[in-house]
Amino acid sequence: MEGNIVQMGQVIGAGLAMMGAIGAGAGIGIVVSGAVQAMGRNPDFAGTIQTNMILGIAFAESIAIYCLVVALLILFVGVS
Amino acid sequence: MTASSDNRILGIKNRYLVLVLLIGWAVAYRIMPPVLMRIQLPAEELTHAVQLPLLGRFAFTNTMAAMLISDLILLVLAFSFSRAARAALAAGGRAIGGVSGAVEALLEALYGLTETNAGRWAREIFPWFATIVLVVLVNNWLELIPGVDSIGILHAAEHGFAVQATALGTTIVGAATHNEAGGLFELVPLVRVNSTDLNFTVALALIAVFMVQVFGIRALGVGYFKKFWNTSTMFTKPIFGVIDFGVGLLELVSEFSKILSFSFRLFGNVFAGSVLLFVIGYLVPSFAQTIFLMLEFGVGLIQAVVFGMLTMVFMSQAVVSHHGDEHADPEGAAAHD
């Protein structure tokens, strides 16, 4: 068991940074649920709805990706 | 893959081959266990850095090598596609087969999407959409080729790995133990996926957002900037005018945040994917990585389409006047049957 307190802080911090993915996960779930309901109601517009759904997912997902980038930066670039 | 029915692999006729391969994998990984590579965010430099006028410090990195390879692939695709299309036209409009047929199907799907969203601007916007999708797609899928990220040059490093010579070349065999006889080395891959370099994604995002503004100005003239600096209702409707003005400023901020989200979305997805492949290949050497390669195949496709589609949607929003009621783009809505 070696390492120092900075490394410990890095690992814990990266883990904490990824907590932001909670919101994105819930958001994507809501988006897809709404889109699937809409597709069930009028299947004729499934294509349009799907496009908008993917856009919405991309926007919600980008928040999680910010968290991921922050976590990766903490882990692999580190504190200077 | 061959036509003879006795040797089918995809038809799972000779299923034992898969089993043999699996056992072979397991034996190979027993003999030479995989190593978790050191993961580095900035691209590794292959040459010595030189000082260029205006540009500053420049070194040929391994992501640039990937860029060149993907450009080459795109050029070959483009030429073979145009030749196939011309041959198909000359033969009286028969269907294009092979890879060119796949490209045609992709382009048709993308054009349909553009027409649904952009209406009469589809012909102008489509080239940007398709180019971005193709470039990002080829760059993302380079990750799936064996040897990318794993074949490279060994450099002596302080916190490196022990190495061992084999029949195929020198390879890294294990984590650093103290006082290794031959010294410790680190692998610098010759090719690393371009999308894991922030320079590429930021450049692409800057181009995309800049072209969104260009399309807006081309469609609406100077009036496009009213979206950002909206003083038209400031004095007629005191309270809502101020709110409109604030909304305009927020639009300005959102243009800059578009650059950020474009570049970080692509970078984060693909970089996380390559880290995932490293870690899975190290933890479960046999078979498991195949599944994650399939996942990366999907992620690469989705991210390419999302990058292009967001650009396309922003462009089609920019060409529509923001005073919704005057020109409520009738064709954009009517293009979808």
Side-chain angles (χ1 to χ4, degrees):
Chain A
M1 275 309 191
E2 46 188 57
N4 54 27
I5 196 142
V6 176
Q7 273 181 334
M8 187 192 81
Q10 277 185 348
V11 175
I12 293 176
L16 286 179
M18 282 310 292
M19 273 173 59
I22 296 172
I28 291 173
I30 294 170
V31 168
V32 175
S33 134
V36 168
Q37 279 180 9
M39 282 184 210
R41 286 186 193 186
N42 38 5
D44 288 347
F45 287 99
T48 321
I49 293 168
Q50 198 173 23
T51 311
N52 289 324
M53 182 189 80
I54 291 173
L55 283 183
I57 289 176
F59 282 126
E61 188 202 25
S62 66
I63 306 298
I65 296 296
Y66 293 157
C67 300
L68 184 70
V69 170
V70 169
L72 291 175
L73 284 175
I74 293 173
L75 276 182
F76 301 127
V77 176
V79 286
S80 53
Chain B
M1 295 280 260
T2 54
S4 71
S5 58
D6 293 331
N7 261 328
R8 275 185 299 155
I9 305 287
L10 288 181
I12 322 283
K13 189 92 180 198
N14 293 334
R15 265 167 287 200
Y16 65 89
L17 264 181
V18 179
L19 193 66
V20 167
L21 276 179
L22 273 179
I23 294 171
W25 259 343
V27 170
Y29 288 131
R30 274 282 158 213
I31 295 169
M32 194 161 282
V35 178
L36 183 58
M37 301 266 298
R38 203 173 64 82
I39 296 155
Q40 186 189 340
L41 208 61
E44 292 91 344
E45 292 170 0
L46 294 177
T47 59
H48 291 289
V50 289
Q51 288 289 340
L52 291 182
L54 287 176
L55 292 175
R57 193 172 174 283
F58 174 83
F60 190 79
T61 62
N62 46 11
T63 49
M64 290 185 199
M67 182 90 229
L68 289 181
I69 291 175
S70 65
D71 283 351
L72 211 64
I73 293 174
L74 278 170
L75 277 179
V76 169
L77 261 181
F79 280 116
S80 68
F81 178 74
S82 76
R83 179 180 294 177
R86 222 167 280 150
L89 276 181
R94 68 177 161 82
I96 305 176
V99 179
S100 304
V103 174
E104 191 201 11
L106 177 71
L107 292 184
E108 264 184 20
L110 295 185
Y111 192 72
L113 215 58
T114 318
E115 265 193 334
T116 317
N117 279 290
R120 71 197 163 91
W121 281 85
R123 289 181 68 86
E124 310 270 327
I125 290 174
F126 173 68
W128 293 93
F129 181 25
T131 309
I132 287 176
V133 168
L134 283 175
V135 167
V136 178
L137 189 67
V138 171
N139 270 308
N140 285 352
W141 278 356
L142 271 190
E143 195 180 1
L144 308 173
I145 299 174
V148 171
D149 277 336
S150 58
I151 295 176
I153 310 165
L154 289 172
H155 280 285
E158 200 177 329
H159 300 285
F161 303 97
V163 294
Q164 183 187 328
T166 64
L168 291 173
T170 311
T171 181
I172 283 173
V173 288
T177 51
H178 296 293
N179 302 324
E180 205 71 39
L184 297 175
F185 290 92
E186 208 163 65
L187 184 76
V188 174
L190 277 177
V191 178
R192 180 177 138 178
V193 184
N194 203 4
S195 314
T196 61
D197 191 346
L198 261 178
N199 291 315
F200 170 69
T201 57
V202 170
L204 209 56
L206 280 174
I207 293 170
V209 174
F210 179 74
M211 282 317 292
V212 169
Q213 318 306 322
V214 169
F215 268 100
I217 294 167
R218 270 181 58 191
L220 304 174
V222 189
Y224 176 68
F225 291 109
K226 258 199 275 179
K227 186 168 135 193
F228 303 125
W229 192 260
N230 187 3
T231 49
S232 57
T233 52
M234 186 85 118
F235 303 106
T236 50
K237 286 182 271 180
I239 295 170
F240 290 105
V242 172
I243 290 175
D244 281 349
F245 185 70
V247 168
L249 290 185
L250 280 181
E251 288 275 351
L252 194 63
V253 174
S254 89
E255 291 299 315
F256 286 101
S257 81
K258 270 175 199 168
I259 301 174
L260 207 67
S261 70
F262 262 140
S263 53
F264 278 166
R265 183 181 302 116
L266 181 60
F267 165 78
N269 268 298
V270 180
F271 188 74
S274 67
V275 171
L276 183 71
L277 288 182
F278 286 162
V279 174
I280 292 296
Y282 166 68
L283 290 177
V284 192
S286 182
F287 194 66
Q289 211 190 11
T290 315
I291 298 163
F292 284 93
L293 282 173
M294 281 164 70
L295 177 79
E296 285 312 305
F297 178 86
V299 168
L301 177 66
I302 290 176
Q303 287 312 313
V305 173
V306 161
F307 198 115
M309 198 157 76
L310 283 178
T311 312
M312 184 265 289
V313 169
F314 290 149
M315 280 175 179
S316 26
Q317 281 173 357
V319 295
V320 175
S321 173
H322 55 285
H323 303 296
D325 301 322
E326 305 164 32
H327 322 273
D329 73 323
E331 293 188 55
H336 192 76
D337 52 341

